[in-house]
Amino acid sequence: MPRGPCSLVRVSATPVAVLAVALVSSLSRCSLLEPENSVVSALSPYFGTKTRYEDANPGLLPDPEVPRRDPELLEETCTPVQLVALIRHGTRYPTTKQIRKLRQLHGLLQARGAEDDRTRAAGRGDLGAALADWPLWYADWMDGQLVEKGRQDMRQLALRLASLFPALFSRENYGRLQLVTSSKHRCMDSGAAFLQGLWQHYHPGLPPPDIADMECGPPRINDKLMRFFDHCEKFLTQVERNATALYHVEAFKTGPEMQNILKKVADILQVPVNNLNADLIQVAFFTCSFDLAIKGVKSPWCDVFDIDDAKVLEYLNDLKQYWKRGYGYSINSRSSCTLFQDIFQHLDKAVKQKQRFAIVFPPRSKRLLFSWLQSPPAVILEPKKMKSVTVSIVSPSICHEVMRPDAKLRCQKYITKLQ
């Protein structure tokens, strides 16, 4: 999934840790303020990147600010030297494109004639009417912006990481923090919320100042690093602008699995099946996740689909990501090698400069890097005998060969060819 990182944070290297935060531009979970006993849906495991963080990780529910880790991750004999993480931006609204498709679907429901009443199925026969009356509160201005719950996600993440790695997140390092972000507003806002979380860690009970007035300053935009796919001409030509690149996705949309869902949904909603398509069905499915996350309610859209439908729609979304972001074309992963190389250059530098006295680090010896991604992290540790540790939380989707021993070499060779 090369369309990942959207911001990066760096700290000027002095005898303390360098902090870098990279926020990934893609969809995250959405929500504003949820009720204490949040509503859940059986469909939640199939929402992909639109699943609420607390649904994917129930451990966040008791206390989202308390860090949890494997006790073997960092023993007392080891001191973190560097942290590199690729993480996703916070919960967001639907995009304008998604909102307009939902508005189109809502219009079909409201336009149904009275004669449709006779064909409504028992038990679920009034579902179409319920959806027609369900408030369509999404507006074009929302366009994928971070919601308040998304800011809360990032603030709580900052608090957990600061508690988990106190030596790296020392008070003196806060003033050396620099946030580098993509131009996507949800990434910039996620970075700002992360900094507010750190302020809360350092100054409990005090309201955070404006980001521009913080010691580390506001985020700095670097799309070339954080939106590398927009700057890779081969990716743009071979995939992004290639009308046939998603041939398999389009074939699945018209295949028997999706057609069965189209007929089923048309029957439930009492609208002509010819007025529906796979894109509208997918938006209806994700609207269940948006309502659930943003408002904490289970909308009637959740009742349109069952688990079997959810599995098919999850596959459709994964299939698109496979061909446009993942293994489908080699350029998908190769386009991310610039960021991949940047990460490992700092990892290598930290390893070379790992000698230190107690917890006093030589210049440019420690660094923290965060990129907001969805994929599960991998943790890389130095041997215990070194009595120091480089922690790298790297998403496999940054370079699909990242977990292979020769991954770094492959990316470096490719970058050399590009240069």
Side-chain angles (χ1 to χ4, degrees):
M1 188 187 296
R3 194 173 290 268
C6 68
S7 63
L8 186 69
V9 176
R10 302 178 188 276
V11 180
S12 62
T14 55
V16 285
V18 177
L19 177 61
V21 178
L23 307 177
V24 172
S25 170
S26 292
L27 226 22
S28 178
R29 278 64 70 180
C30 310
S31 44
L32 288 172
L33 297 177
E34 298 184 43
E36 184 174 350
N37 298 317
S38 63
V39 179
V40 296
S41 170
L43 305 180
S44 291
Y46 307 98
F47 290 146
T49 61
K50 299 166 188 66
T51 302
R52 295 182 298 181
Y53 287 121
E54 52 268 39
D55 288 341
N57 181 11
L60 295 176
L61 292 174
D63 191 342
E65 297 180 5
V66 174
R68 292 171 177 80
R69 70 181 182 190
D70 186 332
E72 298 296 323
L73 177 61
L74 292 174
E75 298 182 359
E76 293 182 359
T77 56
C78 294
T79 300
V81 173
Q82 180 179 93
L83 176 63
V84 178
L86 295 170
I87 312 169
R88 196 176 170 77
H89 59 71
T91 298
R92 68 167 177 85
Y93 286 115
T95 62
T96 296
K97 185 177 180 181
Q98 292 169 323
I99 292 171
R100 289 174 179 172
K101 288 180 180 178
L102 178 60
R103 192 176 295 136
Q104 177 184 348
L105 186 57
H106 194 251
L108 290 175
L109 294 172
Q110 292 183 319
R112 298 179 316 160
E115 64 273 18
D116 293 329
D117 294 342
R118 65 178 182 273
T119 60
R120 291 177 182 170
R124 300 175 74 184
D126 291 332
L127 187 54
L131 286 167
D133 295 335
W134 187 256
L136 183 60
W137 60 277
Y138 298 107
D140 288 353
W141 65 264
M142 296 175 177
D143 194 23
Q145 293 189 47
L146 205 67
V147 300
E148 179 55 35
K149 178 56 167 59
R151 293 181 175 85
Q152 178 179 303
D153 293 335
M154 295 299 102
R155 289 192 295 265
Q156 293 172 345
L157 175 63
L159 289 169
R160 292 197 299 273
L161 288 174
S163 298
L164 192 60
F165 300 102
L168 292 178
F169 286 90
S170 60
R171 177 63 184 86
E172 58 267 27
N173 288 340
Y174 185 59
R176 300 178 176 90
L177 181 67
Q178 285 186 332
L179 178 64
V180 182
T181 179
S182 80
S183 55
K184 284 290 184 179
H185 46 67
R186 54 181 169 268
C187 298
M188 297 178 66
D189 291 343
S190 292
F194 188 88
L195 294 180
Q196 291 172 346
L198 289 182
W199 173 273
Q200 181 180 341
H201 173 73
Y202 299 128
H203 307 280
L206 295 180
D210 188 271
I211 296 300
D213 297 329
M214 288 187 176
E215 299 171 56
C216 55
R220 179 171 58 86
I221 295 174
N222 186 343
D223 279 344
K224 189 172 183 180
L225 184 64
M226 294 295 100
R227 294 181 63 82
F228 46 81
F229 41 84
D230 282 343
H231 297 268
C232 177
E233 191 58 38
K234 286 187 177 180
F235 172 77
L236 295 175
T237 301
Q238 297 177 16
V239 181
E240 186 72 21
R241 300 168 185 161
N242 183 356
T244 63
L246 300 183
Y247 165 78
H248 297 279
V249 178
E250 297 305 317
F252 187 77
K253 287 181 179 180
T254 58
E257 295 84 1
M258 280 302 302
Q259 292 305 305
N260 287 338
I261 294 181
L262 256 68
K263 294 175 183 177
K264 173 184 173 181
V265 172
D267 182 61
I268 292 173
L269 302 182
Q270 294 303 298
V271 298
V273 67
N274 291 337
N275 288 349
L276 299 178
N277 57 50
D279 291 339
L280 291 178
I281 296 298
Q282 200 168 28
V283 165
F285 178 64
F286 285 138
T287 299
C288 169
S289 72
F290 286 126
D291 284 345
L292 184 67
I294 296 176
K295 291 220 167 186
V297 297
K298 182 182 176 183
S299 75
W301 288 110
C302 301
D303 296 325
V304 174
F305 307 97
D306 58 26
I307 298 299
D308 290 335
D309 300 332
K311 291 178 179 179
V312 173
L313 292 166
E314 179 191 36
Y315 180 82
L316 172 60
N317 186 58
D318 287 347
L319 188 65
K320 179 180 179 180
Q321 301 308 320
Y322 177 87
W323 288 105
K324 197 170 184 179
R325 309 282 183 257
Y327 295 88
Y329 301 102
S330 61
I331 191 60
N332 293 350
S333 62
R334 290 182 176 182
S335 67
S336 68
C337 283
T338 301
L339 176 60
F340 190 76
Q341 183 187 52
D342 181 81
I343 293 171
F344 271 88
Q345 283 176 342
H346 287 87
L347 284 171
D348 291 341
K349 186 177 294 185
V351 172
K352 291 177 182 178
Q353 299 177 350
K354 65 182 179 294
Q355 292 82 11
R356 66 203 181 286
F357 176 76
I359 59 171
V360 178
F361 292 77
R364 305 186 183 278
S365 62
K366 293 204 292 180
R367 182 177 191 255
L368 292 165
L369 167 64
F370 305 97
S371 295
W372 270 243
L373 270 180
Q374 175 59 32
S375 303
V379 179
I380 305 169
L381 301 178
E382 293 186 38
K384 293 181 180 179
K385 64 181 181 180
M386 293 184 179
K387 294 187 178 181
S388 65
V389 62
T390 296
V391 182
S392 175
I393 305 177
V394 180
S395 167
S397 60
I398 281 295
C399 183
H400 73 262
E401 297 174 346
V402 69
M403 302 309 294
R404 302 178 188 175
D406 60 345
K408 177 180 151 188
L409 179 60
R410 288 170 182 260
C411 276
Q412 286 180 334
K413 286 182 177 179
Y414 183 76
I415 290 172
T416 301
K417 290 181 181 179
L418 292 179
Q419 294 173 343

